[in-house]
């Protein structure tokens, strides 16, 4: 079943290089099941770029944008949200991250940028030009 889903995947060809070049520890926080997220990262050959992966189970079934799921990950990883950057394509998830004190990056092709979004990019590789 997962192989069928993986056939629909599309990602930037330079994704692994982009992730390697970006500073800081990278953590996946997903509403998907743990095995699916881990499989996806392996299929995309970026699993080595992430220090941790939080699927639905590791968030105690409190999906984004529920702040409890974010807090679960922050506590487990011993992170201060003031030193975290949430990169997302979902507005409600970014709003929740911002309300916890994280900086936010919205991946979108739209021109507008809501006040709770710190940076808008149309693709992840554009983050390499940002000054944090």
């Amino acid at each position: 079943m997962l192989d069928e889903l993986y056939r629909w995947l599309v990602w930037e060809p330079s994704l692994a290089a982009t992730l390697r070049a970006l500073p800081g520890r990278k953590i996946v926080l997903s509403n998907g099941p743990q095995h699916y997220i881990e499989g996806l990262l392996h299929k995309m050959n970026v699993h080595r770029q992430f220090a941790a992966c939080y699927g639905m189970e590791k968030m105690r079934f409190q999906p984004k944008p529920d702040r409890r799921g974010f807090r679960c990950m922050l506590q487990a990883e011993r992170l201060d949200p003031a030193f975290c950057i949430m990169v997302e394509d979902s507005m409600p998830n970014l709003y929740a991250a911002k309300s916890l004190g994280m900086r936010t990056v919205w991946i979108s092709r739209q021109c507008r940028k809501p006040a709770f979004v710190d940076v808008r990019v149309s693709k992840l590789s554009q983050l390499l030009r940002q000054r944090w």
Side-chain angles (χ1 to χ4, degrees), residues 47-87:
H47 59 282
R48 289 183 188 92
Q49 307 310 317
F50 293 94
C53 176
Y54 284 78
M56 186 59 105
E57 302 89 333
K58 285 177 87 173
M59 289 192 302
R60 298 184 189 134
F61 298 95
Q62 297 166 345
K64 299 178 294 182
D66 189 323
R67 289 172 189 91
R68 293 175 297 178
F70 284 90
R71 286 189 192 108
C72 178
M73 180 275 301
L74 290 166
Q75 182 179 18
E77 296 295 324
R78 298 180 179 188
L79 295 172
D80 179 343
F83 297 101
C84 297
I85 302 170
M86 181 71 174
V87 180

Side-chain angles (χ1 to χ4, degrees), residues 6-43:
Y6 293 152
R7 290 190 310 143
W8 295 96
L9 286 177
V10 177
W11 64 90
E12 291 179 52
S14 62
L15 181 60
T18 297
L19 290 169
R20 271 192 306 277
L22 287 170
R25 187 164 48 128
K26 292 149 204 81
I27 298 171
V28 173
L29 184 65
S30 173
N31 288 347
Q34 190 72 29
H35 74 282
Y36 173 71
I37 304 310
E38 290 173 359
L40 226 124
L41 296 177
H42 276 85
K43 188 73 169 172

